[in-house]
Amino acid sequence: MSARQLHIMLAVTAVSLLVCSCELKWKAEGTVYQPQIAVEGWIDEGLFANVILTQSMRFNYEDDSDNVELADIPIRWAKVTVSDGENEEILVGRMDSRYFPPFIYTGSRLRGEAGRKYILKVEYSGRTLTAETTIPEPVPIEDIGIETSEKSDTLYSVNITFRDDPGQKNYYKVFTRVTPGDTRYLPSFMGTVSDEAISSDHKGKISVNRALKQLDVDGYTPFFRRGDTVEIKFTQLPEEGFRFWSDYEDALTSGDNIFFPNTVNVRSNISGGLGIWCGYGTDVRTVIIPK
């Protein structure tokens, strides 16, 4: 592939929201590329809403003089509103170095409540994006297992068990925050399952893998190390969240380059844009890998 034709898909948000271009209008091969708005938004049961907004960026390099400023990718002047049908809150944008890009919109009044629907509206540059989600009931972790890895006696695998409700269709997602190192919860690699994968006794078991980060891709291991403190955020999520995270994981595992997949179309619930707005019923537990 020549430098002139190189199209780079940037993972610019925390979930690598996949898209491509540079400024609001970027000339590419005789056409004017109109970027889309990518959303990474979530609201946990008992907590406030969080939304990250970026622009899809497509680069058509003519030579090495074309440099891209990543600071131009986040959207900082949008109006972001969250409503539960009765109450409404406008989120406040602020710098936050825990995220990339380091800018996020957060709420402070409207807490997530299991069983309720939450409506997101984003208004920016004459465009309006909308999405809806619900927060399922949290499912508690019943047990956490730690085992020495077959790869090394200094690496450990972690798994969790839980009880699935046989009376309804359920979807689950695991996030982890490992200290030292992580400043926020990250999606556990291959940590998305539906209850179709759960045994007939409805006792679920999920491997808790270390998150796959861009900078760790060459030396990635799903295991944890001695002395790691692992916060496990086990969530029940609605179907639209399951579809998004399943497609995202397919993109990581099936693309020629896991951060620049070109064959997988990640499904979105954002009307007018890309990405995900998702409610999570959460149970958080902490385990320390023994030294």
PDB file of all heavy atoms in Angstrom, residues 39 81 118-123 127-133 268-277:
ATOM      1  N   VAL A  39     -19.644   8.013  19.385  1.00  0.00           N
ATOM      2  CA  VAL A  39     -20.075   8.146  20.780  1.00  0.00           C
ATOM      3  C   VAL A  39     -19.612   6.926  21.569  1.00  0.00           C
ATOM      4  O   VAL A  39     -19.784   5.786  21.122  1.00  0.00           O
ATOM      5  CB  VAL A  39     -21.606   8.265  20.874  1.00  0.00           C
ATOM      6  CG1 VAL A  39     -22.052   8.336  22.330  1.00  0.00           C
ATOM      7  CG2 VAL A  39     -22.111   9.466  20.085  1.00  0.00           C
ATOM      8  N   THR A  81     -27.241  15.748  26.483  1.00  0.00           N
ATOM      9  CA  THR A  81     -28.362  15.685  27.421  1.00  0.00           C
ATOM     10  C   THR A  81     -28.745  14.231  27.680  1.00  0.00           C
ATOM     11  O   THR A  81     -28.814  13.426  26.752  1.00  0.00           O
ATOM     12  CB  THR A  81     -29.584  16.434  26.857  1.00  0.00           C
ATOM     13  OG1 THR A  81     -29.202  17.766  26.490  1.00  0.00           O
ATOM     14  CG2 THR A  81     -30.692  16.506  27.890  1.00  0.00           C
ATOM     15  N   TYR A 118     -32.967   5.233  29.612  1.00  0.00           N
ATOM     16  CA  TYR A 118     -32.224   6.497  29.577  1.00  0.00           C
ATOM     17  C   TYR A 118     -31.996   6.906  28.127  1.00  0.00           C
ATOM     18  O   TYR A 118     -31.545   6.107  27.301  1.00  0.00           O
ATOM     19  CB  TYR A 118     -30.900   6.368  30.330  1.00  0.00           C
ATOM     20  CG  TYR A 118     -31.141   6.197  31.813  1.00  0.00           C
ATOM     21  CD1 TYR A 118     -31.343   4.927  32.356  1.00  0.00           C
ATOM     22  CD2 TYR A 118     -31.258   7.306  32.658  1.00  0.00           C
ATOM     23  CE1 TYR A 118     -31.623   4.762  33.705  1.00  0.00           C
ATOM     24  CE2 TYR A 118     -31.538   7.146  34.003  1.00  0.00           C
ATOM     25  CZ  TYR A 118     -31.720   5.874  34.519  1.00  0.00           C
ATOM     26  OH  TYR A 118     -32.015   5.723  35.848  1.00  0.00           O
ATOM     27  N   ILE A 119     -32.332   8.152  27.861  1.00  0.00           N
ATOM     28  CA  ILE A 119     -32.281   8.692  26.504  1.00  0.00           C
ATOM     29  C   ILE A 119     -31.114   9.677  26.408  1.00  0.00           C
ATOM     30  O   ILE A 119     -30.991  10.587  27.239  1.00  0.00           O
ATOM     31  CB  ILE A 119     -33.598   9.407  26.149  1.00  0.00           C
ATOM     32  CG1 ILE A 119     -34.772   8.431  26.289  1.00  0.00           C
ATOM     33  CG2 ILE A 119     -33.546   9.988  24.728  1.00  0.00           C
ATOM     34  CD1 ILE A 119     -36.120   9.107  26.359  1.00  0.00           C
ATOM     35  N   LEU A 120     -30.286   9.484  25.410  1.00  0.00           N
ATOM     36  CA  LEU A 120     -29.141  10.367  25.159  1.00  0.00           C
ATOM     37  C   LEU A 120     -29.426  11.226  23.937  1.00  0.00           C
ATOM     38  O   LEU A 120     -29.916  10.729  22.916  1.00  0.00           O
ATOM     39  CB  LEU A 120     -27.885   9.535  24.916  1.00  0.00           C
ATOM     40  CG  LEU A 120     -26.629  10.301  24.481  1.00  0.00           C
ATOM     41  CD1 LEU A 120     -26.087  11.141  25.631  1.00  0.00           C
ATOM     42  CD2 LEU A 120     -25.571   9.342  23.951  1.00  0.00           C
ATOM     43  N   LYS A 121     -29.109  12.511  24.051  1.00  0.00           N
ATOM     44  CA  LYS A 121     -29.191  13.407  22.889  1.00  0.00           C
ATOM     45  C   LYS A 121     -27.913  14.223  22.816  1.00  0.00           C
ATOM     46  O   LYS A 121     -27.496  14.830  23.804  1.00  0.00           O
ATOM     47  CB  LYS A 121     -30.408  14.338  22.986  1.00  0.00           C
ATOM     48  CG  LYS A 121     -30.540  15.257  21.760  1.00  0.00           C
ATOM     49  CD  LYS A 121     -31.903  15.929  21.685  1.00  0.00           C
ATOM     50  CE  LYS A 121     -32.094  16.977  22.753  1.00  0.00           C
ATOM     51  NZ  LYS A 121     -33.322  17.767  22.543  1.00  0.00           N
ATOM     52  N   VAL A 122     -27.287  14.218  21.642  1.00  0.00           N
ATOM     53  CA  VAL A 122     -26.062  14.982  21.401  1.00  0.00           C
ATOM     54  C   VAL A 122     -26.349  15.985  20.293  1.00  0.00           C
ATOM     55  O   VAL A 122     -26.790  15.600  19.201  1.00  0.00           O
ATOM     56  CB  VAL A 122     -24.897  14.058  20.985  1.00  0.00           C
ATOM     57  CG1 VAL A 122     -23.665  14.883  20.620  1.00  0.00           C
ATOM     58  CG2 VAL A 122     -24.565  13.074  22.099  1.00  0.00           C
ATOM     59  N   GLU A 123     -26.084  17.263  20.562  1.00  0.00           N
ATOM     60  CA  GLU A 123     -26.278  18.318  19.563  1.00  0.00           C
ATOM     61  C   GLU A 123     -24.934  18.981  19.304  1.00  0.00           C
ATOM     62  O   GLU A 123     -24.297  19.490  20.231  1.00  0.00           O
ATOM     63  CB  GLU A 123     -27.290  19.338  20.074  1.00  0.00           C
ATOM     64  CG  GLU A 123     -28.662  18.736  20.321  1.00  0.00           C
ATOM     65  CD  GLU A 123     -29.591  19.671  21.082  1.00  0.00           C
ATOM     66  OE1 GLU A 123     -30.306  20.456  20.438  1.00  0.00           O
ATOM     67  OE2 GLU A 123     -29.575  19.605  22.330  1.00  0.00           O
ATOM     68  N   ARG A 127     -25.973  19.114  13.927  1.00  0.00           N
ATOM     69  CA  ARG A 127     -26.414  17.722  13.886  1.00  0.00           C
ATOM     70  C   ARG A 127     -26.953  17.290  15.254  1.00  0.00           C
ATOM     71  O   ARG A 127     -26.495  17.784  16.278  1.00  0.00           O
ATOM     72  CB  ARG A 127     -25.265  16.807  13.476  1.00  0.00           C
ATOM     73  CG  ARG A 127     -24.892  16.925  12.007  1.00  0.00           C
ATOM     74  CD  ARG A 127     -23.647  16.113  11.694  1.00  0.00           C
ATOM     75  NE  ARG A 127     -22.453  16.771  12.189  1.00  0.00           N
ATOM     76  CZ  ARG A 127     -21.223  16.267  12.074  1.00  0.00           C
ATOM     77  NH1 ARG A 127     -21.063  15.089  11.513  1.00  0.00           N
ATOM     78  NH2 ARG A 127     -20.188  16.926  12.530  1.00  0.00           N
ATOM     79  N   THR A 128     -27.899  16.350  15.234  1.00  0.00           N
ATOM     80  CA  THR A 128     -28.459  15.798  16.463  1.00  0.00           C
ATOM     81  C   THR A 128     -28.371  14.277  16.410  1.00  0.00           C
ATOM     82  O   THR A 128     -28.823  13.659  15.447  1.00  0.00           O
ATOM     83  CB  THR A 128     -29.923  16.218  16.647  1.00  0.00           C
ATOM     84  OG1 THR A 128     -29.999  17.654  16.719  1.00  0.00           O
ATOM     85  CG2 THR A 128     -30.490  15.628  17.925  1.00  0.00           C
ATOM     86  N   LEU A 129     -27.779  13.699  17.442  1.00  0.00           N
ATOM     87  CA  LEU A 129     -27.677  12.262  17.580  1.00  0.00           C
ATOM     88  C   LEU A 129     -28.541  11.833  18.762  1.00  0.00           C
ATOM     89  O   LEU A 129     -28.599  12.544  19.773  1.00  0.00           O
ATOM     90  CB  LEU A 129     -26.236  11.818  17.838  1.00  0.00           C
ATOM     91  CG  LEU A 129     -25.239  11.836  16.689  1.00  0.00           C
ATOM     92  CD1 LEU A 129     -24.934  13.250  16.221  1.00  0.00           C
ATOM     93  CD2 LEU A 129     -23.944  11.136  17.096  1.00  0.00           C
ATOM     94  N   THR A 130     -29.191  10.685  18.661  1.00  0.00           N
ATOM     95  CA  THR A 130     -30.010  10.185  19.752  1.00  0.00           C
ATOM     96  C   THR A 130     -29.766   8.687  19.947  1.00  0.00           C
ATOM     97  O   THR A 130     -29.368   7.976  19.023  1.00  0.00           O
ATOM     98  CB  THR A 130     -31.505  10.416  19.491  1.00  0.00           C
ATOM     99  OG1 THR A 130     -31.876   9.773  18.267  1.00  0.00           O
ATOM    100  CG2 THR A 130     -31.825  11.904  19.408  1.00  0.00           C
ATOM    101  N   ALA A 131     -30.032   8.233  21.157  1.00  0.00           N
ATOM    102  CA  ALA A 131     -29.935   6.812  21.474  1.00  0.00           C
ATOM    103  C   ALA A 131     -30.705   6.535  22.752  1.00  0.00           C
ATOM    104  O   ALA A 131     -30.911   7.439  23.574  1.00  0.00           O
ATOM    105  CB  ALA A 131     -28.476   6.380  21.633  1.00  0.00           C
ATOM    106  N   GLU A 132     -31.127   5.289  22.916  1.00  0.00           N
ATOM    107  CA  GLU A 132     -31.815   4.867  24.125  1.00  0.00           C
ATOM    108  C   GLU A 132     -31.169   3.596  24.665  1.00  0.00           C
ATOM    109  O   GLU A 132     -30.659   2.772  23.902  1.00  0.00           O
ATOM    110  CB  GLU A 132     -33.298   4.583  23.836  1.00  0.00           C
ATOM    111  CG  GLU A 132     -34.104   5.795  23.428  1.00  0.00           C
ATOM    112  CD  GLU A 132     -35.573   5.475  23.243  1.00  0.00           C
ATOM    113  OE1 GLU A 132     -35.942   4.276  23.421  1.00  0.00           O
ATOM    114  OE2 GLU A 132     -36.355   6.386  22.935  1.00  0.00           O
ATOM    115  N   THR A 133     -31.199   3.454  25.968  1.00  0.00           N
ATOM    116  CA  THR A 133     -30.729   2.238  26.601  1.00  0.00           C
ATOM    117  C   THR A 133     -31.485   2.022  27.896  1.00  0.00           C
ATOM    118  O   THR A 133     -32.150   2.937  28.392  1.00  0.00           O
ATOM    119  CB  THR A 133     -29.208   2.303  26.868  1.00  0.00           C
ATOM    120  OG1 THR A 133     -28.736   0.995  27.242  1.00  0.00           O
ATOM    121  CG2 THR A 133     -28.876   3.284  27.988  1.00  0.00           C
ATOM    122  N   SER A 268     -24.179  -0.380  15.915  1.00  0.00           N
ATOM    123  CA  SER A 268     -24.305   0.769  16.800  1.00  0.00           C
ATOM    124  C   SER A 268     -25.772   1.012  17.115  1.00  0.00           C
ATOM    125  O   SER A 268     -26.652   0.683  16.320  1.00  0.00           O
ATOM    126  CB  SER A 268     -23.696   2.003  16.119  1.00  0.00           C
ATOM    127  OG  SER A 268     -24.051   3.183  16.800  1.00  0.00           O
ATOM    128  N   ASN A 269     -26.047   1.616  18.268  1.00  0.00           N
ATOM    129  CA  ASN A 269     -27.420   2.043  18.572  1.00  0.00           C
ATOM    130  C   ASN A 269     -27.556   3.563  18.543  1.00  0.00           C
ATOM    131  O   ASN A 269     -28.535   4.111  19.051  1.00  0.00           O
ATOM    132  CB  ASN A 269     -27.871   1.497  19.928  1.00  0.00           C
ATOM    133  CG  ASN A 269     -27.139   2.129  21.102  1.00  0.00           C
ATOM    134  OD1 ASN A 269     -26.027   2.628  20.964  1.00  0.00           O
ATOM    135  ND2 ASN A 269     -27.766   2.121  22.274  1.00  0.00           N
ATOM    136  N   ILE A 270     -26.569   4.245  17.942  1.00  0.00           N
ATOM    137  CA  ILE A 270     -26.580   5.696  17.860  1.00  0.00           C
ATOM    138  C   ILE A 270     -27.259   6.133  16.565  1.00  0.00           C
ATOM    139  O   ILE A 270     -26.749   5.878  15.468  1.00  0.00           O
ATOM    140  CB  ILE A 270     -25.152   6.277  17.907  1.00  0.00           C
ATOM    141  CG1 ILE A 270     -24.396   5.750  19.131  1.00  0.00           C
ATOM    142  CG2 ILE A 270     -25.204   7.801  17.899  1.00  0.00           C
ATOM    143  CD1 ILE A 270     -24.964   6.166  20.459  1.00  0.00           C
ATOM    144  N   SER A 271     -28.405   6.781  16.650  1.00  0.00           N
ATOM    145  CA  SER A 271     -29.082   7.310  15.475  1.00  0.00           C
ATOM    146  C   SER A 271     -28.392   8.610  15.054  1.00  0.00           C
ATOM    147  O   SER A 271     -28.325   9.562  15.827  1.00  0.00           O
ATOM    148  CB  SER A 271     -30.559   7.576  15.790  1.00  0.00           C
ATOM    149  OG  SER A 271     -31.206   8.181  14.692  1.00  0.00           O
ATOM    150  N   GLY A 272     -27.852   8.632  13.833  1.00  0.00           N
ATOM    151  CA  GLY A 272     -27.152   9.807  13.346  1.00  0.00           C
ATOM    152  C   GLY A 272     -25.655   9.767  13.538  1.00  0.00           C
ATOM    153  O   GLY A 272     -24.962  10.718  13.185  1.00  0.00           O
ATOM    154  N   GLY A 273     -25.115   8.665  14.109  1.00  0.00           N
ATOM    155  CA  GLY A 273     -23.685   8.592  14.340  1.00  0.00           C
ATOM    156  C   GLY A 273     -23.235   7.158  14.536  1.00  0.00           C
ATOM    157  O   GLY A 273     -23.914   6.204  14.135  1.00  0.00           O
ATOM    158  N   LEU A 274     -22.085   7.001  15.161  1.00  0.00           N
ATOM    159  CA  LEU A 274     -21.482   5.695  15.413  1.00  0.00           C
ATOM    160  C   LEU A 274     -21.319   5.485  16.914  1.00  0.00           C
ATOM    161  O   LEU A 274     -21.357   6.432  17.685  1.00  0.00           O
ATOM    162  CB  LEU A 274     -20.097   5.613  14.758  1.00  0.00           C
ATOM    163  CG  LEU A 274     -19.996   5.868  13.265  1.00  0.00           C
ATOM    164  CD1 LEU A 274     -18.538   5.948  12.844  1.00  0.00           C
ATOM    165  CD2 LEU A 274     -20.723   4.792  12.487  1.00  0.00           C
ATOM    166  N   GLY A 275     -21.085   4.223  17.319  1.00  0.00           N
ATOM    167  CA  GLY A 275     -20.703   3.982  18.699  1.00  0.00           C
ATOM    168  C   GLY A 275     -21.783   3.328  19.529  1.00  0.00           C
ATOM    169  O   GLY A 275     -22.646   2.599  19.029  1.00  0.00           O
ATOM    170  N   ILE A 276     -21.767   3.614  20.821  1.00  0.00           N
ATOM    171  CA  ILE A 276     -22.637   2.929  21.760  1.00  0.00           C
ATOM    172  C   ILE A 276     -23.050   3.846  22.906  1.00  0.00           C
ATOM    173  O   ILE A 276     -22.259   4.632  23.415  1.00  0.00           O
ATOM    174  CB  ILE A 276     -21.938   1.655  22.336  1.00  0.00           C
ATOM    175  CG1 ILE A 276     -22.869   0.854  23.238  1.00  0.00           C
ATOM    176  CG2 ILE A 276     -20.663   2.038  23.065  1.00  0.00           C
ATOM    177  CD1 ILE A 276     -24.052   0.234  22.529  1.00  0.00           C
ATOM    178  N   TRP A 277     -24.315   3.743  23.286  1.00  0.00           N
ATOM    179  CA  TRP A 277     -24.857   4.326  24.511  1.00  0.00           C
ATOM    180  C   TRP A 277     -25.456   3.156  25.272  1.00  0.00           C
ATOM    181  O   TRP A 277     -26.394   2.516  24.797  1.00  0.00           O
ATOM    182  CB  TRP A 277     -25.889   5.396  24.202  1.00  0.00           C
ATOM    183  CG  TRP A 277     -26.775   5.840  25.327  1.00  0.00           C
ATOM    184  CD1 TRP A 277     -28.130   5.743  25.394  1.00  0.00           C
ATOM    185  CD2 TRP A 277     -26.377   6.486  26.551  1.00  0.00           C
ATOM    186  NE1 TRP A 277     -28.609   6.267  26.564  1.00  0.00           N
ATOM    187  CE2 TRP A 277     -27.553   6.735  27.303  1.00  0.00           C
ATOM    188  CE3 TRP A 277     -25.149   6.871  27.085  1.00  0.00           C
ATOM    189  CZ2 TRP A 277     -27.524   7.354  28.555  1.00  0.00           C
ATOM    190  CZ3 TRP A 277     -25.119   7.482  28.331  1.00  0.00           C
ATOM    191  CH2 TRP A 277     -26.288   7.718  29.051  1.00  0.00           C
TER     192      TRP A 277
END
